Amino acid sequence: MEDLQKLIERHQYVGRAGTAFIYGILVSIAVNFFWTPGHIYSSGITGLAQLINTLTARYAPIQLSTALMLFLLNVPLFILAWVKISHRFTIFTIISVALASIMMRFIQPVTLTHDPLICAIFGGAINGFGTGLSLRYGISTGGLDIIGIVLRQKTGAKMGKINISFNVLIIAAAGFVFGWPYALYSAVGLVVNARVMDMVYTRQQLMQVMIVTDRPKSVTDSIQNHIRRGITIVHGAEGAYRHDEKAILFTVISRYEMYDLRSAIEESDPRAFVSITESMQIMGHFYEPKL
């Protein structure tokens, strides 16, 4: 059993390392193919690194590259993640940021277009997909992702919304450096980035589940064998058509756990009636697996 657990963990580590590599490629494409040619700033620490690169190129004798600043600016946030989140999460975050910096340095820029709107939309979508994919598989891209996770553990706010709240400064910087039309284009890119991130990072999308069944014990056991969720059981419900006795089960899951819920229902009671709705806010304790 221990050997099997070690094999599973090793497989997860390889998968996370592969995801970090994919993220490094995606963020490099976003920066070198779209944002830099279109004079668009990214969100968070990547955007701040771009700003420092632009300002040092204009006003300083030495230009600090975006790739170098991306890593250096993340160092204090690595410490925050080590203390507040987990050591394993921090190690993979360092790997993903390091790979992004390396890829950004060595993938040669290709100017596909100078149209700022196209650059903002496609750069934001590519970066948002890479960031959401990384978070979905338990690693971070550094920067505001780390701050966002810490704050989300306290407030329950979504990652994309947290990112937008931190990026007003980046938009203003784009306006001062490139002109206010580019600030608006950067804002479009940030919104696209946040929306795509929220679409991909489904662990934070919470769903309320209502199950009507005549096998409450079987369904409850099956769900809790698949996912770690509390369930409230209401006994004594009655079907209006046949007047047979039913029970109603209530629980809350993340969208990421939808497949496991469906498998559990199919195993225990394929004839159960299941209603799933998006949950706007959760008050009280909601278990989240450690990253």
Side-chain angles (χ1 to χ4, degrees), residues 5-276:
Q5 184 65 30
K6 290 180 180 179
L7 179 63
I8 293 173
E9 290 182 357
R10 192 178 301 115
H11 176 74
Q12 291 175 340
Y13 291 159
V14 172
R16 287 177 175 177
T19 302
F21 181 74
I22 292 171
Y23 166 74
I25 294 175
L26 291 175
V27 71
S28 300
I29 291 173
V31 172
N32 291 341
F33 291 15
F34 295 102
W35 284 332
T36 299
H39 302 304
I40 304 299
Y41 281 150
S42 171
S43 62
I45 298 301
T46 305
L48 183 57
Q50 289 178 279
L51 177 61
I52 294 174
N53 171 258
T54 302
L55 294 178
T56 54
R58 291 188 179 185
Y59 305 113
I62 300 176
Q63 181 179 6
L64 300 175
S65 70
T66 300
L68 174 63
M69 292 310 303
L70 176 64
F71 189 84
L72 293 181
L73 291 171
N74 271 288
V75 171
L77 296 170
F78 294 154
I79 299 173
L80 176 64
W82 186 272
V83 174
K84 294 293 186 179
I85 303 177
S86 75
H87 295 175
R88 181 177 61 183
F89 177 85
T90 306
I91 291 171
F92 281 105
T93 299
I94 294 172
I95 292 172
S96 68
V97 174
L99 286 173
S101 299
I102 293 170
M103 295 292 181
M104 207 176 292
R105 183 73 176 173
F106 289 103
I107 292 181
Q108 295 301 312
V110 176
T111 303
L112 301 177
T113 178
H114 289 287
D115 187 308
L117 183 58
I118 293 176
C119 290
I121 292 174
F122 280 89
I126 291 171
N127 185 74
F129 180 81
T131 303
L133 187 68
S134 297
L135 290 169
R136 179 169 180 168
Y137 288 100
I139 63 175
S140 168
T141 58
L144 296 184
D145 298 339
I146 294 173
I147 298 174
I149 290 173
V150 173
L151 290 179
R152 187 168 59 84
Q153 290 174 345
K154 301 293 185 182
T155 66
K158 287 188 176 182
M159 296 293 299
K161 292 180 180 179
I162 291 172
N163 263 321
I164 289 178
S165 68
F166 277 101
N167 286 317
V168 174
L169 177 62
I170 301 300
I171 295 173
F176 281 111
V177 175
F178 294 123
W180 292 108
Y182 287 98
L184 299 178
Y185 290 128
S186 294
V188 171
L190 296 183
V191 172
V192 172
N193 181 83
R195 291 298 298 168
V196 173
M197 187 194 312
D198 280 339
M199 288 171 60
V200 177
Y201 182 41
T202 55
R203 285 182 187 269
Q204 64 176 339
Q205 299 174 21
L206 304 184
M207 315 296 292
Q208 179 176 287
V209 182
M210 181 189 74
I211 305 168
V212 180
T213 177
D214 53 10
R215 302 177 186 175
K217 179 67 167 60
S218 176
V219 173
T220 299
D221 291 343
S222 183
I223 292 175
Q224 293 183 330
N225 285 335
H226 282 77
I227 51 181
R228 181 177 172 178
R229 293 294 166 216
I231 299 173
T232 299
I233 306 175
V234 180
H235 293 286
E238 180 182 341
Y241 182 66
R242 295 182 178 175
H243 300 283
D244 46 354
E245 185 175 347
K246 301 282 186 180
I248 302 175
L249 313 181
F250 291 97
T251 188
V252 176
I253 65 171
S254 68
R255 189 180 292 274
Y256 183 76
E257 296 166 326
M258 286 282 288
Y259 176 80
D260 290 330
L261 175 72
R262 185 178 294 110
S263 298
I265 298 296
E266 290 176 353
E267 286 179 6
S268 56
D269 186 5
R271 299 180 63 183
F273 176 82
V274 182
S275 174
I276 302 175

